mmCIF file of all heavy atoms in Angstrom:
data_model
loop_
_atom_site.group_PDB
_atom_site.id
_atom_site.type_symbol
_atom_site.label_atom_id
_atom_site.label_comp_id
_atom_site.label_asym_id
_atom_site.label_seq_id
_atom_site.Cartn_x
_atom_site.Cartn_y
_atom_site.Cartn_z
ATOM 1 N N LEU A 257 15.442 3.093 -14.808
ATOM 2 C CA LEU A 257 15.301 2.297 -16.023
ATOM 3 C C LEU A 257 16.445 2.646 -16.983
ATOM 4 O O LEU A 257 16.606 3.818 -17.361
ATOM 5 C CB LEU A 257 13.961 2.598 -16.701
ATOM 6 C CG LEU A 257 12.715 2.321 -15.848
ATOM 7 C CD1 LEU A 257 11.481 2.986 -16.453
ATOM 8 C CD2 LEU A 257 12.495 0.817 -15.710
ATOM 9 N N ASN A 258 17.181 1.636 -17.363
ATOM 10 C CA ASN A 258 18.363 1.835 -18.198
ATOM 11 C C ASN A 258 18.055 2.621 -19.475
ATOM 12 O O ASN A 258 17.175 2.237 -20.253
ATOM 13 C CB ASN A 258 18.959 0.457 -18.553
ATOM 14 C CG ASN A 258 20.209 0.589 -19.385
ATOM 15 O OD1 ASN A 258 21.052 1.444 -19.113
ATOM 16 N ND2 ASN A 258 20.322 -0.228 -20.412
ATOM 17 N N SER A 259 18.788 3.733 -19.650
ATOM 18 C CA SER A 259 18.681 4.584 -20.854
ATOM 19 C C SER A 259 17.299 5.179 -21.083
ATOM 20 O O SER A 259 17.009 5.676 -22.171
ATOM 21 C CB SER A 259 19.072 3.814 -22.127
ATOM 22 O OG SER A 259 20.383 3.352 -21.995
ATOM 23 N N VAL A 260 16.447 5.135 -20.079
ATOM 24 C CA VAL A 260 15.121 5.740 -20.222
ATOM 25 C C VAL A 260 15.046 7.023 -19.400
ATOM 26 O O VAL A 260 14.645 8.084 -19.893
ATOM 27 C CB VAL A 260 14.011 4.758 -19.767
ATOM 28 C CG1 VAL A 260 12.650 5.447 -19.744
ATOM 29 C CG2 VAL A 260 13.976 3.527 -20.669
ATOM 30 N N ASN A 261 15.481 6.927 -18.136
ATOM 31 C CA ASN A 261 15.333 8.067 -17.232
ATOM 32 C C ASN A 261 16.534 8.223 -16.311
ATOM 33 O O ASN A 261 16.422 8.829 -15.247
ATOM 34 C CB ASN A 261 14.061 7.895 -16.388
ATOM 35 C CG ASN A 261 14.134 6.661 -15.490
ATOM 36 O OD1 ASN A 261 15.122 5.921 -15.517
ATOM 37 N ND2 ASN A 261 13.104 6.466 -14.694
ATOM 38 N N ASP A 262 17.690 7.646 -16.700
ATOM 39 C CA ASP A 262 18.792 7.552 -15.733
ATOM 40 C C ASP A 262 20.054 8.327 -16.147
ATOM 41 O O ASP A 262 21.132 8.053 -15.648
ATOM 42 C CB ASP A 262 19.141 6.071 -15.470
ATOM 43 C CG ASP A 262 19.651 5.345 -16.725
ATOM 44 O OD1 ASP A 262 19.584 5.938 -17.831
ATOM 45 O OD2 ASP A 262 20.107 4.200 -16.590
ATOM 46 N N SER A 263 19.907 9.312 -17.051
ATOM 47 C CA SER A 263 21.103 10.033 -17.516
ATOM 48 C C SER A 263 21.484 11.180 -16.574
ATOM 49 O O SER A 263 20.704 11.549 -15.682
ATOM 50 C CB SER A 263 20.832 10.618 -18.912
ATOM 51 O OG SER A 263 19.915 11.693 -18.791
ATOM 52 N N TYR A 264 22.644 11.732 -16.826
ATOM 53 C CA TYR A 264 23.100 12.917 -16.083
ATOM 54 C C TYR A 264 22.064 14.041 -16.206
ATOM 55 O O TYR A 264 21.644 14.630 -15.209
ATOM 56 C CB TYR A 264 24.453 13.371 -16.650
ATOM 57 C CG TYR A 264 24.961 14.662 -16.057
ATOM 58 C CD1 TYR A 264 25.740 14.652 -14.892
ATOM 59 C CD2 TYR A 264 24.665 15.891 -16.657
ATOM 60 C CE1 TYR A 264 26.194 15.843 -14.330
ATOM 61 C CE2 TYR A 264 25.114 17.077 -16.096
ATOM 62 C CZ TYR A 264 25.877 17.053 -14.945
ATOM 63 O OH TYR A 264 26.309 18.231 -14.392
ATOM 64 N N ASP A 265 21.622 14.307 -17.437
ATOM 65 C CA ASP A 265 20.652 15.386 -17.662
ATOM 66 C C ASP A 265 19.336 15.132 -16.932
ATOM 67 O O ASP A 265 18.707 16.045 -16.417
ATOM 68 C CB ASP A 265 20.355 15.538 -19.162
ATOM 69 C CG ASP A 265 21.534 16.161 -19.901
ATOM 70 O OD1 ASP A 265 22.463 16.648 -19.214
ATOM 71 O OD2 ASP A 265 21.523 16.147 -21.151
ATOM 72 N N ASN A 266 18.933 13.869 -16.905
ATOM 73 C CA ASN A 266 17.690 13.528 -16.198
ATOM 74 C C ASN A 266 17.812 13.869 -14.707
ATOM 75 O O ASN A 266 16.862 14.361 -14.090
ATOM 76 C CB ASN A 266 17.362 12.029 -16.330
ATOM 77 C CG ASN A 266 17.096 11.591 -17.759
ATOM 78 O OD1 ASN A 266 17.313 10.426 -18.093
ATOM 79 N ND2 ASN A 266 16.642 12.501 -18.622
ATOM 80 N N ALA A 267 18.980 13.579 -14.146
ATOM 81 C CA ALA A 267 19.191 13.854 -12.716
ATOM 82 C C ALA A 267 19.150 15.358 -12.455
ATOM 83 O O ALA A 267 18.522 15.822 -11.500
ATOM 84 C CB ALA A 267 20.523 13.261 -12.256
ATOM 85 N N ILE A 268 19.820 16.125 -13.326
ATOM 86 C CA ILE A 268 19.833 17.581 -13.170
ATOM 87 C C ILE A 268 18.405 18.136 -13.288
ATOM 88 O O ILE A 268 17.966 18.965 -12.484
ATOM 89 C CB ILE A 268 20.731 18.239 -14.256
ATOM 90 C CG1 ILE A 268 22.193 17.827 -14.064
ATOM 91 C CG2 ILE A 268 20.571 19.756 -14.261
ATOM 92 C CD1 ILE A 268 22.882 18.472 -12.862
ATOM 93 N N GLU A 269 17.671 17.625 -14.257
ATOM 94 C CA GLU A 269 16.300 18.109 -14.468
ATOM 95 C C GLU A 269 15.406 17.758 -13.278
ATOM 96 O O GLU A 269 14.571 18.567 -12.839
ATOM 97 C CB GLU A 269 15.744 17.507 -15.773
ATOM 98 C CG GLU A 269 14.516 18.248 -16.270
ATOM 99 C CD GLU A 269 14.031 17.765 -17.635
ATOM 100 O OE1 GLU A 269 14.605 16.804 -18.191
ATOM 101 O OE2 GLU A 269 13.056 18.358 -18.131
ATOM 102 N N LEU A 270 15.608 16.567 -12.741
ATOM 103 C CA LEU A 270 14.820 16.154 -11.563
ATOM 104 C C LEU A 270 15.141 17.063 -10.375
ATOM 105 O O LEU A 270 14.236 17.519 -9.664
ATOM 106 C CB LEU A 270 15.118 14.687 -11.217
ATOM 107 C CG LEU A 270 14.425 14.154 -9.960
ATOM 108 C CD1 LEU A 270 12.902 14.192 -10.116
ATOM 109 C CD2 LEU A 270 14.886 12.729 -9.637
ATOM 110 N N ALA A 271 16.442 17.328 -10.179
ATOM 111 C CA ALA A 271 16.845 18.183 -9.053
ATOM 112 C C ALA A 271 16.201 19.558 -9.169
ATOM 113 O O ALA A 271 15.682 20.105 -8.189
ATOM 114 C CB ALA A 271 18.372 18.305 -9.012
ATOM 115 N N ARG A 272 16.188 20.103 -10.396
ATOM 116 C CA ARG A 272 15.579 21.427 -10.605
ATOM 117 C C ARG A 272 14.086 21.401 -10.308
ATOM 118 O O ARG A 272 13.531 22.309 -9.709
ATOM 119 C CB ARG A 272 15.768 21.870 -12.052
ATOM 120 C CG ARG A 272 17.131 22.417 -12.281
ATOM 121 C CD ARG A 272 17.197 23.398 -13.452
ATOM 122 N NE ARG A 272 18.599 23.616 -13.747
ATOM 123 C CZ ARG A 272 19.213 23.184 -14.850
ATOM 124 N NH1 ARG A 272 18.522 22.584 -15.815
ATOM 125 N NH2 ARG A 272 20.502 23.381 -15.004
ATOM 126 N N LEU A 273 13.456 20.322 -10.744
ATOM 127 C CA LEU A 273 12.002 20.198 -10.613
ATOM 128 C C LEU A 273 11.540 20.237 -9.159
ATOM 129 O O LEU A 273 10.510 20.835 -8.840
ATOM 130 C CB LEU A 273 11.571 18.869 -11.273
ATOM 131 C CG LEU A 273 10.078 18.576 -11.378
ATOM 132 C CD1 LEU A 273 9.407 19.541 -12.346
ATOM 133 C CD2 LEU A 273 9.858 17.129 -11.841
ATOM 134 N N ILE A 274 12.310 19.604 -8.277
ATOM 135 C CA ILE A 274 11.835 19.450 -6.900
ATOM 136 C C ILE A 274 12.638 20.270 -5.896
ATOM 137 O O ILE A 274 12.397 20.177 -4.691
ATOM 138 C CB ILE A 274 11.860 17.968 -6.484
ATOM 139 C CG1 ILE A 274 13.271 17.394 -6.603
ATOM 140 C CG2 ILE A 274 10.877 17.160 -7.319
ATOM 141 C CD1 ILE A 274 13.368 15.953 -6.141
ATOM 142 N N LYS A 275 13.540 21.059 -6.401
ATOM 143 C CA LYS A 275 14.406 21.881 -5.527
ATOM 144 C C LYS A 275 13.560 22.682 -4.521
ATOM 145 O O LYS A 275 12.563 23.278 -4.885
ATOM 146 C CB LYS A 275 15.224 22.830 -6.383
ATOM 147 C CG LYS A 275 16.268 23.570 -5.592
ATOM 148 C CD LYS A 275 17.605 23.593 -6.332
ATOM 149 C CE LYS A 275 18.716 23.638 -5.321
ATOM 150 N NZ LYS A 275 19.810 22.773 -5.585
ATOM 151 N N GLY A 276 13.980 22.664 -3.259
ATOM 152 C CA GLY A 276 13.302 23.486 -2.253
ATOM 153 C C GLY A 276 12.024 22.873 -1.701
ATOM 154 O O GLY A 276 11.447 23.399 -0.750
ATOM 155 N N MET A 277 11.580 21.778 -2.268
ATOM 156 C CA MET A 277 10.366 21.137 -1.747
ATOM 157 C C MET A 277 10.720 20.192 -0.601
ATOM 158 O O MET A 277 11.801 19.614 -0.570
ATOM 159 C CB MET A 277 9.658 20.328 -2.856
ATOM 160 C CG MET A 277 9.026 21.176 -3.934
ATOM 161 S SD MET A 277 8.430 20.152 -5.307
ATOM 162 C CE MET A 277 7.004 19.321 -4.572
ATOM 163 N N ASN A 278 9.768 20.013 0.311
ATOM 164 C CA ASN A 278 9.983 19.096 1.428
ATOM 165 C C ASN A 278 9.724 17.651 0.974
ATOM 166 O O ASN A 278 8.705 17.056 1.303
ATOM 167 C CB ASN A 278 9.056 19.487 2.579
ATOM 168 C CG ASN A 278 9.312 18.664 3.827
ATOM 169 O OD1 ASN A 278 10.372 18.046 3.961
ATOM 170 N ND2 ASN A 278 8.345 18.636 4.726
ATOM 171 N N VAL A 279 10.676 17.153 0.172
ATOM 172 C CA VAL A 279 10.531 15.796 -0.365
ATOM 173 C C VAL A 279 11.859 15.065 -0.228
ATOM 174 O O VAL A 279 12.898 15.690 -0.036
ATOM 175 C CB VAL A 279 10.161 15.793 -1.877
ATOM 176 C CG1 VAL A 279 8.816 16.419 -2.112
ATOM 177 C CG2 VAL A 279 11.244 16.483 -2.717
ATOM 178 N N TYR A 280 11.823 13.752 -0.312
ATOM 179 C CA TYR A 280 13.068 13.042 -0.549
ATOM 180 C C TYR A 280 12.843 12.025 -1.646
ATOM 181 O O TYR A 280 11.734 11.534 -1.859
ATOM 182 C CB TYR A 280 13.660 12.452 0.728
ATOM 183 C CG TYR A 280 13.175 11.089 1.112
ATOM 184 C CD1 TYR A 280 13.875 9.955 0.683
ATOM 185 C CD2 TYR A 280 12.056 10.933 1.905
ATOM 186 C CE1 TYR A 280 13.454 8.687 1.037
ATOM 187 C CE2 TYR A 280 11.621 9.671 2.261
ATOM 188 C CZ TYR A 280 12.317 8.553 1.831
ATOM 189 O OH TYR A 280 11.899 7.299 2.168
ATOM 190 N N VAL A 281 13.900 11.767 -2.375
ATOM 191 C CA VAL A 281 13.803 10.879 -3.524
ATOM 192 C C VAL A 281 14.284 9.495 -3.128
ATOM 193 O O VAL A 281 15.322 9.339 -2.503
ATOM 194 C CB VAL A 281 14.671 11.407 -4.692
ATOM 195 C CG1 VAL A 281 14.662 10.434 -5.855
ATOM 196 C CG2 VAL A 281 14.177 12.782 -5.139
ATOM 197 N N ASN A 282 13.491 8.499 -3.472
ATOM 198 C CA ASN A 282 13.879 7.115 -3.260
ATOM 199 C C ASN A 282 14.153 6.492 -4.633
ATOM 200 O O ASN A 282 13.236 6.319 -5.438
ATOM 201 C CB ASN A 282 12.719 6.401 -2.535
ATOM 202 C CG ASN A 282 13.115 5.075 -1.926
ATOM 203 O OD1 ASN A 282 12.301 4.187 -1.794
ATOM 204 N ND2 ASN A 282 14.373 4.928 -1.560
ATOM 205 N N LEU A 283 15.422 6.237 -4.906
ATOM 206 C CA LEU A 283 15.778 5.624 -6.191
ATOM 207 C C LEU A 283 15.541 4.123 -6.088
ATOM 208 O O LEU A 283 16.053 3.465 -5.181
ATOM 209 C CB LEU A 283 17.244 5.904 -6.527
ATOM 210 C CG LEU A 283 17.612 7.378 -6.702
ATOM 211 C CD1 LEU A 283 19.117 7.519 -6.966
ATOM 212 C CD2 LEU A 283 16.796 8.025 -7.821
ATOM 213 N N ILE A 284 14.749 3.589 -7.006
ATOM 214 C CA ILE A 284 14.363 2.177 -6.941
ATOM 215 C C ILE A 284 15.072 1.394 -8.042
ATOM 216 O O ILE A 284 14.849 1.651 -9.224
ATOM 217 C CB ILE A 284 12.836 2.014 -7.130
ATOM 218 C CG1 ILE A 284 12.068 2.943 -6.195
ATOM 219 C CG2 ILE A 284 12.421 0.565 -6.939
ATOM 220 C CD1 ILE A 284 10.558 2.910 -6.395
ATOM 221 N N PRO A 285 15.958 0.460 -7.661
ATOM 222 C CA PRO A 285 16.549 -0.409 -8.693
ATOM 223 C C PRO A 285 15.409 -1.182 -9.367
ATOM 224 O O PRO A 285 14.583 -1.781 -8.690
ATOM 225 C CB PRO A 285 17.447 -1.350 -7.894
ATOM 226 C CG PRO A 285 17.669 -0.659 -6.584
ATOM 227 C CD PRO A 285 16.430 0.136 -6.310
ATOM 228 N N TYR A 286 15.355 -1.121 -10.681
ATOM 229 C CA TYR A 286 14.260 -1.788 -11.407
ATOM 230 C C TYR A 286 14.396 -3.300 -11.293
ATOM 231 O O TYR A 286 15.476 -3.856 -11.433
ATOM 232 C CB TYR A 286 14.286 -1.372 -12.887
ATOM 233 C CG TYR A 286 13.179 -1.991 -13.715
ATOM 234 C CD1 TYR A 286 11.857 -1.810 -13.352
ATOM 235 C CD2 TYR A 286 13.470 -2.752 -14.847
ATOM 236 C CE1 TYR A 286 10.825 -2.376 -14.103
ATOM 237 C CE2 TYR A 286 12.444 -3.314 -15.611
ATOM 238 C CZ TYR A 286 11.132 -3.122 -15.231
ATOM 239 O OH TYR A 286 10.122 -3.685 -15.975
ATOM 240 N N ASN A 287 13.273 -3.934 -11.032
ATOM 241 C CA ASN A 287 13.217 -5.375 -10.995
ATOM 242 C C ASN A 287 12.745 -5.842 -12.366
ATOM 243 O O ASN A 287 11.602 -5.599 -12.729
ATOM 244 C CB ASN A 287 12.165 -5.754 -9.943
ATOM 245 C CG ASN A 287 12.591 -6.929 -9.143
ATOM 246 O OD1 ASN A 287 12.913 -7.980 -9.690
ATOM 247 N ND2 ASN A 287 12.603 -6.744 -7.843
ATOM 248 N N GLU A 288 13.623 -6.478 -13.110
ATOM 249 C CA GLU A 288 13.252 -6.792 -14.498
ATOM 250 C C GLU A 288 12.083 -7.778 -14.543
ATOM 251 O O GLU A 288 12.006 -8.691 -13.727
ATOM 252 C CB GLU A 288 14.478 -7.321 -15.248
ATOM 253 C CG GLU A 288 15.474 -6.185 -15.462
ATOM 254 C CD GLU A 288 16.771 -6.625 -16.107
ATOM 255 O OE1 GLU A 288 16.884 -7.805 -16.485
ATOM 256 O OE2 GLU A 288 17.673 -5.778 -16.230
ATOM 257 N N THR A 289 11.184 -7.534 -15.493
ATOM 258 C CA THR A 289 9.949 -8.316 -15.576
ATOM 259 C C THR A 289 9.800 -8.874 -16.983
ATOM 260 O O THR A 289 10.742 -8.857 -17.771
ATOM 261 C CB THR A 289 8.722 -7.416 -15.301
ATOM 262 O OG1 THR A 289 8.641 -6.457 -16.362
ATOM 263 C CG2 THR A 289 8.851 -6.682 -13.981
ATOM 264 N N SER A 290 8.605 -9.301 -17.310
ATOM 265 C CA SER A 290 8.359 -9.807 -18.671
ATOM 266 C C SER A 290 8.300 -8.665 -19.686
ATOM 267 O O SER A 290 8.203 -8.899 -20.880
ATOM 268 C CB SER A 290 7.061 -10.602 -18.703
ATOM 269 O OG SER A 290 5.991 -9.774 -18.329
ATOM 270 N N HIS A 291 8.316 -7.413 -19.205
ATOM 271 C CA HIS A 291 8.405 -6.264 -20.125
ATOM 272 C C HIS A 291 9.869 -6.124 -20.547
ATOM 273 O O HIS A 291 10.600 -5.289 -20.036
ATOM 274 C CB HIS A 291 7.954 -4.981 -19.430
ATOM 275 C CG HIS A 291 6.529 -5.011 -19.002
ATOM 276 N ND1 HIS A 291 5.504 -4.583 -19.796
ATOM 277 C CD2 HIS A 291 5.964 -5.441 -17.856
ATOM 278 C CE1 HIS A 291 4.353 -4.729 -19.160
ATOM 279 N NE2 HIS A 291 4.607 -5.251 -17.980
ATOM 280 N N ILE A 292 10.259 -6.947 -21.515
ATOM 281 C CA ILE A 292 11.688 -7.069 -21.800
ATOM 282 C C ILE A 292 12.300 -5.801 -22.387
ATOM 283 O O ILE A 292 13.508 -5.667 -22.457
ATOM 284 C CB ILE A 292 11.982 -8.257 -22.752
ATOM 285 C CG1 ILE A 292 11.009 -8.190 -23.921
ATOM 286 C CG2 ILE A 292 11.910 -9.585 -22.033
ATOM 287 C CD1 ILE A 292 11.393 -9.111 -25.049
ATOM 288 N N GLU A 293 11.461 -4.857 -22.795
ATOM 289 C CA GLU A 293 12.024 -3.614 -23.345
ATOM 290 C C GLU A 293 12.644 -2.750 -22.246
ATOM 291 O O GLU A 293 13.357 -1.800 -22.549
ATOM 292 C CB GLU A 293 10.970 -2.846 -24.155
ATOM 293 C CG GLU A 293 9.781 -2.300 -23.378
ATOM 294 C CD GLU A 293 8.651 -3.322 -23.181
ATOM 295 O OE1 GLU A 293 8.930 -4.545 -23.106
ATOM 296 O OE2 GLU A 293 7.497 -2.896 -23.051
#
Side-chain angles (χ1 to χ4, degrees):
L257 301 165
N258 182 42
S259 301
V260 173
N261 63 359
D262 63 352
S263 71
Y264 174 88
D265 288 349
N266 297 153
I268 295 287
E269 196 174 3
L270 177 62
R272 280 205 192 111
L273 186 68
I274 58 177
K275 188 136 210 136
M277 290 172 71
N278 185 18
V279 296
Y280 87 92
V281 176
N282 195 209
L283 298 177
I284 309 176
Y286 181 57
N287 220 305
E288 290 176 5
T289 65
S290 60
H291 297 270
I292 47 168
E293 66 275 30

